[in-house]
């Protein structure tokens, strides 16, 4: 979202408004502010969505907003009503659906309902556009704009980060690791990291010089930690936690692995390719739209 604002023509202004999400929005809004854009934290959040709508209507009027872009079911629901009240167009961005649990499933059904009422739906891949059409959105109101990244972030990798990657492994194992498989993402069921752990176990039965580093955090962290321990891989499969330096680490993986069961178009895939790291990825969502099998990586079928 911030990258889009930075890439716009100079005459286009952008105002960012975010639900508080119990304070989780603060780091993003701080980054927006540092980039020179208006960053506004809405005072009202679930369950006070009617108050949030009134707040957004006031913001649209005060800032003379010409068009509203919504990300996610809650923004889409509140934003659609606010945009209609203010008589401005409203766009939704559809990145993908995960069905992570029953509650997320309910939210995603609401998202599909609201997408059918938007003036335009932007899909991050052709595969996601197909899903949006099946959900009942008029094809004439669907536009595909693939995710993108600033490739210059990976232009001059610091070799010191290879040593820092190795430092994630225990000292007694570190000297044996010469080949590092990387992965990154939210530790949630749709990312298939349990499958990646099982795959790593098969790799370790054939090679002693390989290590895995998984960056990210999420609800499956404890489950994955237990799985790794039961397979006796604590010193070879590292759960590295959340990292805000992933750009610096990425060029120093020997392979990047994406094990997802479902995707829209993962930015981390684009980042690994920009970092010139070969990818092994499940052929889900828009992955095959940017990764050509056998050229810069390998596409495999998702686990069933």
């Amino acid at each position: 979202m911030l990258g889009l604002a930075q890439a716009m023509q100079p005459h286009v202004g952008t105002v960012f408004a975010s639900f508080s999400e119990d304070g989780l929005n603060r780091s993003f809004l701080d980054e927006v502010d540092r980039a020179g854009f208006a960053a506004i934290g809405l005072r009202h959040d679930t369950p006070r969505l009617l108050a949030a709508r009134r707040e957004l209507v006031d913001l649209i009027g005060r800032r003379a907003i010409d068009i509203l872009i919504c990300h996610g079911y809650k923004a889409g629901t509140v934003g659609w009503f606010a945009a209609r009240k203010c008589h401005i167009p409203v766009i939704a961005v559809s990145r993908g659906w995960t069905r992570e649990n029953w509650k997320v499933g309910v939210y995603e059904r609401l998202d599909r309902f609201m997408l059918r009422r938007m003036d335009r739906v932007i899909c991050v891949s052709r595969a996601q556009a197909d899903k949006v059409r099946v959900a009942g959105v008029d094809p004439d109101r669907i536009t595909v704009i693939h995710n993108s990244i600033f490739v210059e972030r990976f232009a001059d990798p610091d070799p010191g980060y290879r040593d820092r990657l190795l430092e994630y492994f225990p000292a007694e194992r570190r000297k044996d690791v010469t080949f590092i498989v990387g992965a990154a993402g939210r530790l949630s069921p749709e990312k298939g990291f349990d499958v990646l752990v099982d795959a790593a176990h098969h790799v370790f039965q054939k090679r002693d010089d390989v290590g895995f580093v998984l960056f990210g955090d999420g609800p499956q962290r404890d489950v994955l930690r237990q799985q790794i321990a039961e397979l006796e891989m604590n010193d070879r499969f590292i759960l590295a936690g959340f990292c805000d330096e992933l750009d610096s680490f990425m060029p120093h993986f020997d392979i990047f692995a994406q094990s997802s069961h479902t995707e829209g178009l993962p930015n981390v895939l684009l980042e690994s390719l920009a970092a010139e790291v070969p990818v092994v990825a499940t052929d889900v969502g828009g992955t095959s739209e940017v990764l050509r099998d056998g050229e810069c990586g390998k596409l495999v079928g998702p686990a069933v």
Side-chain angles (χ1 to χ4, degrees), residues 115-121 136-143:
L115 289 179
R116 294 197 289 269
R117 283 147 182 82
M118 295 291 171
D119 295 306
R120 181 73 66 173
V121 178
V137 177
D138 183 347
D140 291 336
R141 291 189 284 113
I142 299 173
T143 298

Side-chain angles (χ1 to χ4, degrees), residues 2 6 14 16 30-39:
L2 181 55
Q6 292 170 323
T14 304
F16 289 85
D30 288 344
E31 186 174 352
V32 168
D33 184 65
R34 286 192 297 270
F37 297 97

Side-chain angles (χ1 to χ4, degrees), residues 21-235:
E21 302 293 345
D22 296 323
L24 293 176
N25 70 336
R26 193 66 258 167
S27 60
F28 173 67
L29 290 180
D30 288 344
E31 186 174 352
V32 168
D33 184 65
R34 286 192 297 270
F37 297 97
I40 298 170
L42 298 176
R43 298 188 305 276
H44 301 99
D45 204 336
T46 307
R48 301 190 63 193
L49 295 183
L50 286 177
R53 186 183 73 181
R54 290 193 295 270
E55 190 177 356
L56 187 56
V57 167
D58 178 67
L59 174 63
I60 290 171
R62 285 188 294 105
R63 295 276 182 165
I65 302 298
D66 296 303
I67 189 167
L68 185 65
I69 303 177
C70 303
H71 301 259
Y73 79 94
K74 185 163 57 175
T77 303
V78 172
W80 184 87
F81 283 102
R84 289 293 178 261
K85 179 73 173 179
C86 297
H87 307 290
I88 64 172
V90 57
I91 293 174
V93 177
S94 183
R95 302 185 180 280
W97 297 306
T98 68
R99 298 186 302 276
E100 179 181 331
N101 53 47
W102 71 266
K103 184 183 293 187
V104 172
V106 171
Y107 294 156
E108 289 176 348
R109 283 197 292 274
L110 176 59
D111 186 43
R112 291 180 178 91
F113 177 81
M114 293 310 302
L115 289 179
R116 294 197 289 269
R117 283 147 182 82
M118 295 291 171
D119 295 306
R120 181 73 66 173
V121 178
I122 305 299
C123 298
V124 299
S125 65
R126 292 190 296 274
Q128 182 61 21
D130 290 339
K131 294 178 182 178
V132 168
R133 277 190 288 270
V134 170
V137 177
D138 183 347
D140 291 336
R141 291 189 284 113
I142 299 173
T143 298
V144 175
I145 303 177
H146 289 93
N147 283 340
S148 62
I149 60 170
F150 292 110
V151 296
E152 59 269 19
R153 288 155 43 192
F154 306 95
D156 188 23
D158 181 351
Y161 276 86
R162 175 71 178 195
D163 293 333
R164 289 185 57 182
L165 265 180
L166 289 169
E167 288 173 1
Y168 278 102
F169 299 94
E172 62 273 15
R173 168 62 65 180
R174 193 177 307 153
K175 64 181 185 303
D176 298 324
V177 175
T178 62
F179 194 94
I180 301 177
V181 179
R186 186 168 182 265
L187 306 187
S188 50
E190 78 279 1
K191 295 298 184 181
F193 289 131
D194 57 328
V195 178
L196 181 61
V197 172
D198 283 337
H201 184 245
H202 289 289
V203 170
F204 295 152
Q205 292 175 340
K206 298 181 178 181
R207 291 186 58 166
D208 293 327
D209 63 334
V210 180
F212 283 68
V213 179
L214 169 56
F215 287 106
D217 208 346
Q220 276 207 313
R221 183 176 182 85
D222 290 341
V223 173
L224 292 171
R225 183 186 291 114
Q226 180 178 353
Q227 181 185 4
I228 292 167
E230 289 175 352
L231 293 172
E232 300 181 347
M233 301 191 307
N234 284 330
D235 60 341

Side-chain angles (χ1 to χ4, degrees), residues 282-300:
T282 49
D283 188 1
V284 295
T287 299
S288 63
E289 295 171 34
V290 295
L291 177 63
R292 292 185 176 89
D293 188 31
E295 290 187 16
C296 47
K298 179 68 177 176
L299 287 169
V300 299

